[in-house]
Every structure is written in C-alpha cells, then in structure tokens.
Amino acid sequence: MAVVKLASGYNIGVEKACCTLVSPAPASTPRSAPIKQDPKLPELAIISTGGTIASRIDYRTGAVTSQFDADDILTAIPALAEIGRYRTKVLYTILSENMTPAIWQELARAIHDEIKHGVTGVIVTHGTDTMAYSAAAVSFMLDTPVPVVFVGSQRSADRPSSDNAMNGVCAALAAESDLGEVAVVMHATTNDDACAIHRGTRVRKMHTSRRDAFQSIGIPPVGTVDYASRTVTLTGDAVKRGTHKLALHDQLEPHCGLIQFYPGMSPDLLKAYEGYKGLILSGTGLGHVSTAMIPQIKNLVAGGTQVVMTSQCMHGRVCDRVYDTGRDLLAAGVIEGGDMLPEVALVKQMWVLGNEKDPAKAATMMATDLKGECMRRSAHGL
Amino acid sequence: MAVVKLASGYNIGVEKACCTLVSPAPASTPRSAPIKQDPKLPELAIISTGGTIASRIDYRTGAVTSQFDADDILTAIPALAEIGRYRTKVLYTILSENMTPAIWQELARAIHDEIKHGVTGVIVTHGTDTMAYSAAAVSFMLDTPVPVVFVGSQRSADRPSSDNAMNGVCAALAAESDLGEVAVVMHATTNDDACAIHRGTRVRKMHTSRRDAFQSIGIPPVGTVDYASRTVTLTGDAVKRGTHKLALHDQLEPHCGLIQFYPGMSPDLLKAYEGYKGLILSGTGLGHVSTAMIPQIKNLVAGGTQVVMTSQCMHGRVCDRVYDTGRDLLAAGVIEGGDMLPEVALVKQMWVLGNEKDPAKAATMMATDLKGECMRRSAHGL
C-alpha cells in the first residue's frame, strides 16, 4: 500500500500496483528568512520540543513527523510577531510519547534559564499526547513568577482544520498575562473562539482528536483567552504573576510506576514493581483493589516502595476509610492520593521521592497540596 | 482510633482512650417478613451480587459491608412492590472490587436461567466500583431479548442522601420497558429527578462519590427513566425488546491484561505479560507508546499474545496510521481498538479469546462491533 496525502490533509491508501512514480517526493520546504520582530513588544521565550504544532508530512512514510523548530513556528504563525518578540530554543524535536523524566528535567532547566534571562513569559510547544504529564512535571520542579504556557496542536498545520495558529496566538497572550503558574493553553470548544487556560496539575487529554481535547479535571480552567478580542481573563483561583520567586528543584526519581487495577487482575503482576521506589495504583471507586492484591501490596511497602492510591474514576477523591478493602489497604501502608489524577500522582511521586529521602516525610508530601494538584475539597459540582 | 457512625451517615474518628463502652454493638437488624407481591404485575428477577445498594454498617469495623440479600432489597425499597413481582436470587454478597471473570460467568448463567424461566426483565444489584466491567462482560456473553439492568448505589441506605431507592425503582421500570440489551441504570443528575440508561459496553464510573457518577462515553445514554412520572424513554439507538434471541456464550479467557502507558515506562514491565493470551494497551492520544516499548510488544505478539491498542483519552478513536510510532506499532502486529474504552476492550478480549481460537479471526472480531462497544464513527460532538 502507498499512502497519499490529499490537499485536504487526509491520508488515503492506494495499492502500490496502481501507482506510477511521476517525480520524486519533494524535499523539505526551503527555510524562509527569520521574521522581523518588534523590539518594543514584551520578550517571550519559545522552547520547542516537537509534536503536531511543529510537524509536517514525512514524505518517506507519508506520516506526520516533528521537524519544525521554533523559528519555523514564527514563520508558520505570523500573528505571533504582533504579540511579542521571541527568543527561540529547540530543545527536542520528538513526538511526545517519547518524552522521558530525563527530558522533563532538561525542559525545566531550559525554562528556568529563560526566566532568569528575564523574559515576560515562556511558551513550550509540545506534542499533545503527553503534554499534561510534562506540564505537571514542570509544575513540581519549577517555582515560577511568570506564566509558563504549554501549547500544542491536535491537527497538523497542513490540515484546513488545524488549530496550531489560534493555539499559538492564545499561548503567547497567556504568556504575557498576569498568570504566575504552569498552564496548558488549548482550544476551549470545537469553534475557533477561545482557548482555555488549564492548571498544569489538573489537566488531562480527554479526546483522541477533538481540538478541545484538553479539560481541567476537578476544577474549572484557571482562565480563558478570547481569540477575536485578544483578551485574557483569569479566575480568582489562578496563581498571579509574581506570587512565587524563581526556584528550580529538578531532581526526579524515575523508578516509579502506575498501574490500573481491573477485576481478576493477577497479584503476580505487582512483582514487576519490586525494587521500584514508588507505585501509583489507579484503583476503582473510592480507591479499591481486590482483597487478593493486598498481600502483594504489603510486600511492596515492606520492600520500601511508596504505594499511593488514586481512582480510575478520575473525578472525585479517594477515601479508603469507608469500605473493608479500603481499610485493609490503609493497614497495608497505602497512602491516599486525595483527588490527584493518577498520572499527576505518578509525576508528583517522581518529584517527591527525588527530593525527599525520608519515607515518612515523603508520604506526608504526597498527601499535601504542593502545586494545586491535590485540593482539600473538590470544587462544587466537579 | 474508634470509628463512630453518626446518624447523618458519616464516620468520625475518636481516640479509643476517649471512649467508654456503654452497651455492645447492636446485632444485625432482625429480618422482616417477606413483603407481599401482586400476582397481576409483571415478573422481574433480582439477582443480588452485593455492593452499596445491598450494604449496611459492619459494627465490627465501622465500615460499610455488603450483607443484604435480594429479599432485604424489597424490604428496603417498598416502592418496588408497586412495579412488579420478583424472583430473588442471592448470587454473591461481595464488594465489587472482588469480582472476577469466573463470577461474571456465573452471573451470565444465572441471568440466562431467569430469562429462560420467562421473566419480563432482570435486575442485577452490583457494587458500583466494577459494575461497568460486569455489565460489559454480560453484554458479550449473553444475547438477550429482554432488559438486563445493572443497578447500584453510590451512597449506602443508612445515609440521608442515599440513591438506592430511586435507582432501584428506575431499574425496575427499565427492566419492564421495551429495552432489549444489557444496561446500567443510575442517577442521571445530582438531583432525584431521573436515571440514565447506559449501554453496558459504553459506560464508565467517572466520579468516586457523586450519585451521577456513571456516564455514557462516546454515545448519549440509550434512554432515561423519569422518577416522578415513572416513565421510561428510549432513544432510537437503544436495542429494542425481542430483537435478539436468548443465547449464552459463557466462555472467557481470563489470562488477559490491561496496562496504561506513561512517559518513561520501562519496556521490561511488559515481560510480566509473557504467556498472557491478550493484552490491552491504554496508549496516549491516537494510540501511542514510546518507541522504546515497541520491541517488547513485538516479542509479546511473536509469543502469541494478542495486543490491542486503546486510548487513555477515553473519548475518540485510536488511529495508528497518522504518526510514526503508530505505524511502527501496526507493523509490530498491534490491533487498533477503534473507540472502545480500555476496560471494555479488556473484557471483550477475554470473551473473544475464550470463544475463537484462530488468531486471525480473533483479531477481526476485536476490530468488529459486536455489542455496540465499537462504533464505526463516534457520535457527533462526543
């Protein structure tokens, strides 16, 4: 099969026997001259890591790959030049499923350096697949006085429905706003009207392809960016610019895992996590696993693994004091993860265990809100 | 610490040293006489498996345990007697995190026997934690001409906010309706106004504690039950009574697993699934894992494990033809799971591999819609 990219942006499959080579595939588009920047506008940093917002077609495979760098993004989205002037840095050009904790650390250091340099805000272009994980990781590693805005694109720039230009513009506006925390800025609806500003520790990609795939879980978005009027509105809950002093704590313990419980799961599967420093359980309901799992969890805890319970329901908080199996889990040494999203709990655990070697103190930190990831009470109705 | 159950239904912890034993804990409430049934009403079966709808306080631990049987449910919800007459069967009294594929099989057989007996519909009372898994399992094992309605309760009967009575009444109404498929009936909103009827293969528990925790994913609910007027409304998509002939295919292959990918996941973790008949990957975005995972996935496929890709986004469908890593996954022999929920894909895989030994045919079945679990196109806007 040959894959043909249509002008509409869609791929179709054609039998190779039906194809005749007319001319070789085009080389990459020639690089345009750097766009002109207005020195009177605020200075923003764009750190590029790859993903669809920085992608074009790979004529070798017909698939979409990450090849653009930060300068290309300015060329692709000319409206950015009206909002700020930019320092651009290509940190990586990878699809975000290939992100690792080590790259999160490099990213946190790069953002830290840009803020130290004095930029008004930082934009991180990122693949959408794991953008929420990276935003959470940077949230824990970095105390920031200025906005750190992750932005991506659900549809590549070569598709008419691409969201890359509007998301990029809204990200730049958010990066100049009064925000003072790590956030994800993406389409708020399926229309090109507004982007939502999601807290980096409370956001999840909730659709494989929709442009409004990103949603705040457990709290409303901390702000919105109106595209037409170019205005940013922050909620009262948003952390404001200047609240925190710049600080970097970039240690991470990568030997942490996340496993979703399901009925009939073999307790033997937990043996794969022996020697891990941490394990997040994505339990059912209020935070449960089967009674059969508990002896093996006890073994892990006895072996020095910090085990934290979250819920695969994703909304609401765990409470292991209500039902028998929950109480047995607490007796086994499992820590309750409050209303943390399972993935955020994983990233937080990597950070906590990387920075705090005392198990009791690390346990307390896991149950304490550090960066808005763990609310004392869930917001009403969410 | 002693745990005290307040009249409000909430537990509080009190230091044991502060407590004086006034009188021993009460024994279980004495059993009331069987409630009177109206022989002119339609006959429904209630199969009880346990869970909060059938729970009361265990005065030994202060926690809530499953102790009620089906007769107790009729006593607890007198309004049921106005809707039908009931055959009751206690299959299990367990919290649903202790459900297993073997119990799902017993449950499917018990439901089959009740339908064969001639009941108008079947109600299954079930813990909410894994109710969606069980409803999906029964959906695949049983072709039913009558409604098979799973119902549970998010708040135990001893709490003023309990949803057990309304959910029970709505389940009975749905069980007498024109529905002809397996469904979950639970609160549609946080008010006591209506219950939603969710297809058994498209439903997920999306909140740890809210009464409207259950939500249809990818399609709207197939119907609603208005509590005040006692009326059932089915959508055009609902499978209607009598569409399918009664049939039971109760084989399941329990050696199937589900694992959620996250950045930095060690490919070694997949070794724990060597020898498994099936594995569901809950990938990122359109269905991705890191490039580092692919050789180990190839090993699993070569060893005879059927590997199916789903998305942890939960909404939308996987498509592994767009990006490089997805295309590499397809080349490794991974099957695309369409828009199936990861948990539903797991249950379906147990059923498919239990019933079809030819790997190519089993692969085709995984990618084919069998019981509404895998839509050709996602409903607009969902």
Side-chain angles (χ1 to χ4, degrees):
Chain A
M1 288 284 274
V3 177
V4 178
K5 192 86 177 175
L6 301 181
S8 70
Y10 285 89
N11 295 334
I12 57 167
V14 184
E15 285 295 336
K16 274 199 176 160
C18 309
C19 303
T20 310
L21 182 68
V22 176
S23 68
S28 300
T29 320
R31 196 185 185 83
S32 13
I35 57 162
K36 231 181 146 179
Q37 306 216 36
D38 182 345
K40 291 189 296 296
L41 289 174
E43 188 176 48
L44 300 175
I46 301 181
I47 299 175
S48 169
T49 69
T52 303
I53 197 166
S55 67
R56 48 186 159 187
I57 309 156
D58 179 347
Y59 288 103
R60 182 182 56 84
T61 65
V64 177
T65 53
S66 284
Q67 297 173 327
F68 271 24
D69 63 25
D71 283 323
D72 289 317
I73 292 171
L74 289 182
T75 313
I77 313 174
L80 284 177
E82 297 156 23
I83 301 167
R85 60 196 162 93
Y86 302 88
R87 293 163 53 85
T88 61
K89 183 183 174 72
V90 180
L91 195 67
Y92 279 90
T93 51
I94 55 173
L95 293 169
S96 74
E97 56 269 32
N98 287 323
M99 277 276 158
T100 62
I103 300 179
W104 293 339
Q105 291 175 297
E106 283 187 63
L107 177 58
R109 288 175 206 132
I111 298 169
H112 174 264
D113 291 350
E114 292 299 321
I115 299 172
K116 210 172 162 188
H117 170 83
V119 295
T120 302
V122 179
I123 299 164
V124 179
T125 64
H126 198 291
T128 57
D129 267 32
T130 71
M131 185 155 65
Y133 291 86
S134 295
V138 171
S139 298
F140 293 113
M141 285 187 278
L142 190 75
D143 295 341
T144 177
V146 305
V148 175
V149 178
F150 282 76
V151 66
S153 160
Q154 285 279 82
R155 312 269 171 87
S156 51
D158 58 304
R159 291 178 62 177
S161 64
S162 178
D163 49 348
N164 75 326
M166 174 173 143
N167 288 352
V169 164
C170 290
L173 294 165
E176 288 183 5
S177 76
D178 199 33
L179 192 71
E181 60 180 317
V182 178
V184 167
V185 170
M186 292 287 287
H187 263 60
T189 70
T190 52
N191 300 324
D192 288 338
D193 49 6
C195 277
I197 305 176
H198 304 280
R199 174 163 293 157
T201 56
R202 301 256 21 142
V203 62
R204 201 172 187 283
K205 183 173 179 180
M206 292 298 289
H207 198 284
T208 60
S209 60
R210 272 171 64 147
R211 299 187 298 174
D212 59 344
F214 282 81
Q215 295 192 13
S216 287
I217 306 285
I219 61 167
V222 295
T224 51
V225 186
D226 186 75
Y227 186 45
S229 68
R230 302 283 203 263
T231 49
V232 176
T233 310
L234 301 178
T235 69
D237 286 335
V239 180
K240 300 303 185 308
R241 182 181 285 274
T243 304
H244 295 293
K245 277 194 179 154
L246 179 65
L248 179 70
H249 304 278
D250 64 355
Q251 293 307 297
L252 289 179
E253 169 52 65
H255 295 103
C256 296
L258 163 64
I259 191 160
Q260 178 178 340
F261 170 75
Y262 48 84
M265 174 180 252
S266 165
D268 286 348
L269 289 174
L270 289 184
K271 288 186 183 160
Y273 300 90
E274 282 173 9
Y276 269 58
K277 299 296 181 193
L279 179 63
I280 305 298
L281 297 171
S282 176
T284 60
L286 290 166
H288 302 131
V289 296
S290 67
T291 308
M293 301 289 286
I294 293 176
Q296 191 59 42
I297 291 172
K298 222 179 250 179
N299 280 352
L300 284 176
V301 172
T305 306
Q306 184 197 66
V307 181
V308 176
M309 179 60 76
T310 61
S311 177
Q312 60 193 252
C313 295
M314 290 187 303
H315 292 269
R317 51 195 301 113
V318 302
C319 180
D320 279 306
R321 283 152 292 160
V322 180
Y323 292 96
D324 272 357
T325 42
R327 298 161 76 90
D328 292 343
L329 281 165
L330 293 179
V334 170
I335 300 161
E336 290 179 305
D339 67 340
M340 282 189 284
L341 286 167
E343 304 96 293
V344 173
L346 171 68
V347 171
K348 178 178 178 179
Q349 187 177 50
M350 290 181 184
W351 186 81
V352 165
L353 297 180
N355 288 279
E356 177 54 65
K357 298 304 169 195
D358 178 68
K361 285 185 189 163
T364 302
M365 285 168 79
M366 283 305 294
T368 306
D369 179 47
L370 302 178
K371 291 294 176 82
E373 78 285 1
C374 193
M375 322 301 284
R376 288 181 61 89
R377 288 191 68 86
S378 299
H380 179 71
L382 287 162
Chain B
M1 289 286 274
V3 177
V4 177
K5 191 87 179 175
L6 302 180
S8 70
Y10 285 89
N11 294 335
I12 57 166
V14 184
E15 285 295 335
K16 272 200 179 158
C18 309
C19 302
T20 311
L21 183 67
V22 176
S23 67
S28 301
T29 320
R31 196 187 186 83
S32 14
I35 57 161
K36 232 180 143 180
Q37 305 216 36
D38 182 345
K40 292 188 296 292
L41 289 173
E43 188 176 48
L44 300 175
I46 300 182
I47 299 174
S48 169
T49 69
T52 302
I53 198 167
S55 67
R56 47 186 159 188
I57 309 156
D58 179 347
Y59 288 103
R60 182 181 57 83
T61 64
V64 177
T65 53
S66 285
Q67 297 173 327
F68 272 23
D69 63 24
D71 283 322
D72 290 317
I73 292 172
L74 289 183
T75 313
I77 313 174
L80 284 177
E82 298 157 22
I83 300 166
R85 61 196 163 94
Y86 301 88
R87 292 163 54 87
T88 62
K89 185 184 172 71
V90 180
L91 196 66
Y92 279 90
T93 51
I94 56 173
L95 293 168
S96 75
E97 55 269 33
N98 286 323
M99 277 276 157
T100 62
I103 300 179
W104 293 339
Q105 291 175 296
E106 281 187 64
L107 177 58
R109 288 175 206 132
I111 297 169
H112 175 263
D113 291 350
E114 291 300 322
I115 299 172
K116 209 171 163 189
H117 170 83
V119 294
T120 300
V122 179
I123 300 164
V124 179
T125 64
H126 198 291
T128 57
D129 268 31
T130 71
M131 185 155 65
Y133 291 86
S134 296
V138 171
S139 297
F140 292 112
M141 285 187 278
L142 189 75
D143 295 341
T144 178
V146 305
V148 175
V149 177
F150 283 74
V151 66
S153 160
Q154 285 278 84
R155 312 268 171 89
S156 50
D158 57 305
R159 291 178 63 176
S161 64
S162 178
D163 50 347
N164 73 327
M166 175 173 142
N167 289 351
V169 164
C170 290
L173 294 165
E176 289 183 5
S177 77
D178 199 32
L179 191 71
E181 60 179 316
V182 178
V184 167
V185 171
M186 292 286 288
H187 264 61
T189 71
T190 52
N191 301 323
D192 288 337
D193 49 5
C195 276
I197 305 175
H198 305 280
R199 175 163 293 158
T201 56
R202 300 256 23 139
V203 63
R204 201 170 186 284
K205 183 173 179 178
M206 292 299 289
H207 199 284
T208 60
S209 60
R210 272 170 64 146
R211 300 187 296 173
D212 60 342
F214 282 80
Q215 294 192 11
S216 287
I217 306 286
I219 62 166
V222 294
T224 51
V225 186
D226 186 74
Y227 187 45
S229 67
R230 302 282 202 263
T231 50
V232 176
T233 310
L234 300 178
T235 69
D237 286 336
V239 179
K240 300 303 185 306
R241 182 181 285 274
T243 303
H244 296 293
K245 277 195 181 154
L246 179 64
L248 179 71
H249 304 279
D250 63 356
Q251 294 306 298
L252 289 179
E253 169 52 65
H255 295 103
C256 296
L258 163 64
I259 191 160
Q260 178 178 338
F261 170 75
Y262 49 85
M265 174 180 252
S266 165
D268 286 347
L269 288 174
L270 289 184
K271 287 185 184 161
Y273 300 90
E274 282 173 8
Y276 269 56
K277 300 295 180 192
L279 179 63
I280 304 299
L281 297 170
S282 176
T284 60
L286 290 167
H288 303 131
V289 297
S290 67
T291 307
M293 301 290 284
I294 294 175
Q296 191 58 42
I297 290 172
K298 222 179 251 180
N299 279 352
L300 283 176
V301 172
T305 306
Q306 183 196 67
V307 181
V308 176
M309 180 60 77
T310 61
S311 176
Q312 59 193 250
C313 296
M314 291 187 302
H315 292 268
R317 50 195 302 113
V318 302
C319 180
D320 280 305
R321 283 151 292 161
V322 180
Y323 292 97
D324 273 356
T325 43
R327 297 160 76 90
D328 292 343
L329 281 165
L330 293 179
V334 170
I335 300 162
E336 291 180 303
D339 67 341
M340 281 188 284
L341 286 166
E343 304 95 293
V344 172
L346 171 67
V347 171
K348 178 178 178 179
Q349 188 178 51
M350 290 182 184
W351 186 81
V352 164
L353 297 179
N355 289 279
E356 177 55 65
K357 299 304 169 194
D358 178 69
K361 286 185 189 162
T364 303
M365 284 169 80
M366 282 307 293
T368 306
D369 179 47
L370 302 178
K371 290 295 176 82
E373 78 285 359
C374 193
M375 322 302 284
R376 288 181 61 90
R377 288 190 68 86
S378 300
H380 178 70
L382 288 162

